[in-house]
Amino acid sequence: MHHSTHDLLSPVPGITRQLHSFHFGPRGGTKVYIQASLHADELPGMLVAWHLKRRLAELEQQGRLRSEIILVPVANPVGLEQVLLDAPLGRFELQSGENFNRKFVDLSDSIGDQVEQHLSQDPAHNVALIREYLRRGLDAHPAQTPLQSLRLTLQRLACDADLVLDLHCDFEAVEHLYTTPEAWPQVEPLARYLGAQASLLATDSGGQSFDECFSLVWWQLQQRFGKRYPIPLGNCSVTVELRGQADVSHELASKDCQAILDYLTYKGVVEGACAPLPALPRPATPLAAVEPVHTPLGGLLVYHAKPGEHVQAGQLIAEVIDPLNDRVTPIRNSQPGLLYARSVRRMATAGMVIAHVAGEQVVRSGYLLAN
Ligand SMILES: [Zn+2]
């Protein structure tokens, strides 16, 4: 194992920040990048990463790693220290109000312009070429704020990886994941090993999130040059949602760690016999078929449906109670599906999204992510 530290742009004199990456296995072949807690108050992944760190060190000692695996267990030291009046605030940077998992650098156009004259009919050559220009482009990209410095450091570490796993969680949720329809055939075994209750697919959900900043470059270059040159999708990225924020336990983390190692064994990154593939809990569905269930009014939020429940159209998801005028407002979903996540708050504000239901019919378009 090799431990690297990466200096982040210091916000003020007297403060230094570093990102730590742990590198296992030999370089060459399939490169895997795994990070946890980019949203710093989403900690189940950090515990999974710590389990992985120890297991990967053992596997490396046994000579069972065939290629490089980079692990970043604490992907967001900036957000981790944002605790305000006893409340951790790890999703948005307090300085800018920006979501930590948005606005990663999009180099598709500039890389397309630079590689066009060097592309060939050899797909392997094109992959190596695009990766080289990705590394160069990100190295040359300036970081003007501590937030950009964090994003760029993470993006540089992962930009030439074949496989990127970004470990997150929801508020209260069952295990689910986000990836692209193009990557789904590769990701499906991971969904089986993890037991993902929902697998939500979108090519471009509109936020330039960490997973999509890698998959979209290849997709866009393929759209631009695919008729003239063979451009494989050189990256497969997945955002894995490890249940809810409070689901931090060794029992769950060791299970998720084993599922990821089973997948890496299946992919040939870890040497060994593949664990049998479990059944897929639920077919993948479009992210655009997710219904965010809103409450039109504020009040005390009393749930009637739990994460993991299959709900019918018009089912009672929650009641919103105004204890002053005794108004009880039932909140119902409009399409059937799996309620995979709900809020952790119990005082709803008017207009708030209280739950997400993964349906099968497309009901949304445009920007598909939460804030
Ligand atoms: Zn997250």
Side-chain angles (χ1 to χ4, degrees), residues 141-183:
H141 202 87
Q144 281 155 351
T145 66
L147 177 56
Q148 286 175 6
S149 162
L150 173 72
R151 287 181 183 142
L152 270 168
T153 305
L154 296 169
Q155 202 170 348
R156 283 175 189 140
L157 276 165
C159 70
D160 52 1
D162 296 87
L163 173 67
V164 171
L165 301 184
D166 193 12
L167 308 182
H168 288 246
C169 72
D170 212 301
F171 295 112
E172 293 179 356
V174 289
E175 194 142 357
H176 60 285
L177 59 81
Y178 300 93
T179 191
T180 65
E182 298 79 21

Side-chain angles (χ1 to χ4, degrees), residues 8-341:
L8 300 176
L9 182 61
S10 165
V12 286
I15 297 283
T16 57
R17 287 180 181 144
Q18 288 178 323
L19 198 80
H20 294 249
S21 60
F22 299 87
H23 302 244
F24 304 86
R27 286 193 166 195
T30 305
K31 176 177 167 180
V32 178
Y33 175 89
I34 304 172
Q35 72 175 22
S37 306
L38 174 57
H39 287 140
D41 48 4
E42 300 176 0
L43 299 172
M46 197 184 286
L47 186 60
V48 172
W50 184 64
H51 279 252
L52 272 172
K53 190 164 159 234
R54 298 192 301 171
R55 293 286 306 278
L56 288 171
E58 285 168 17
L59 290 166
E60 186 176 50
Q61 279 190 344
Q62 295 162 7
R64 288 177 58 194
L65 300 184
R66 287 187 182 144
S67 56
E68 187 181 24
I69 301 169
I70 300 179
L71 186 66
V72 176
V74 181
N76 185 358
V78 181
L80 209 54
E81 67 175 351
Q82 291 186 165
V83 179
L84 194 66
L85 306 176
D86 204 30
L89 299 171
R91 187 175 180 84
F92 302 94
E93 194 213 24
L94 291 179
Q95 175 85 17
S96 62
E98 287 182 11
N99 187 320
F100 284 108
N101 191 21
R102 302 287 183 268
K103 295 191 181 177
F104 282 86
V105 178
D106 177 7
L107 293 174
S108 313
D109 288 344
S110 67
I111 286 180
D113 295 345
Q114 291 169 62
V115 299
E116 186 164 14
Q117 57 180 324
H118 306 295
L119 290 168
S120 74
Q121 295 307 320
D122 175 5
H125 162 85
N126 294 342
V127 169
L129 179 75
I130 291 166
R131 285 191 177 144
E132 179 58 31
Y133 277 86
L134 264 172
R135 285 189 289 262
R136 283 192 212 171
L138 289 168
D139 282 345
H141 202 87
Q144 281 155 351
T145 66
L147 177 56
Q148 286 175 6
S149 162
L150 173 72
R151 287 181 183 142
L152 270 168
T153 305
L154 296 169
Q155 202 170 348
R156 283 175 189 140
L157 276 165
C159 70
D160 52 1
D162 296 87
L163 173 67
V164 171
L165 301 184
D166 193 12
L167 308 182
H168 288 246
C169 72
D170 212 301
F171 295 112
E172 293 179 356
V174 289
E175 194 142 357
H176 60 285
L177 59 81
Y178 300 93
T179 191
T180 65
E182 298 79 21
W184 175 241
Q186 285 193 66
V187 175
E188 199 232 35
L190 175 66
R192 288 172 182 252
Y193 284 125
L194 285 167
Q197 303 295 302
S199 300
L200 305 168
L201 309 184
T203 298
D204 182 2
S205 46
Q208 195 64 10
S209 55
F210 188 71
D211 56 351
E212 288 186 0
C213 82
F214 305 113
S215 51
L216 270 178
V217 171
W218 295 93
W219 187 81
Q220 281 164 354
L221 292 174
Q222 202 179 60
Q223 297 299 305
R224 181 167 167 186
F225 299 117
K227 289 200 174 110
R228 288 184 282 152
Y229 302 105
I231 312 274
L233 294 174
N235 170 272
C236 168
S237 290
V238 193
T239 294
V240 182
E241 301 281 342
L242 298 167
R243 309 176 191 81
Q245 282 179 326
D247 294 321
V248 179
S249 74
H250 285 305
E251 188 191 348
L252 292 172
S254 60
K255 184 174 160 288
D256 292 334
C257 168
Q258 186 59 51
I260 290 170
L261 291 175
D262 286 344
Y263 180 58
L264 295 181
T265 308
Y266 176 90
K267 299 282 285 180
V269 174
V270 175
E271 209 169 276
C274 286
L277 275 172
L280 184 67
R282 184 175 176 275
T285 48
L287 180 58
V290 166
E291 179 189 353
V293 181
H294 295 84
T295 170
L297 300 164
L300 197 52
L301 183 60
V302 183
Y303 280 106
H304 285 251
K306 290 193 180 77
E309 212 172 308
H310 289 268
V311 292
Q312 302 303 314
Q315 191 164 324
L316 181 64
I317 303 294
E319 291 171 317
V320 174
I321 300 172
D322 182 335
L324 304 179
N325 63 13
D326 304 327
R327 184 184 57 214
V328 178
T329 308
I331 309 297
R332 301 175 190 278
N333 53 309
S334 60
Q335 61 156 351
L338 176 82
L339 189 156
Y340 65 90

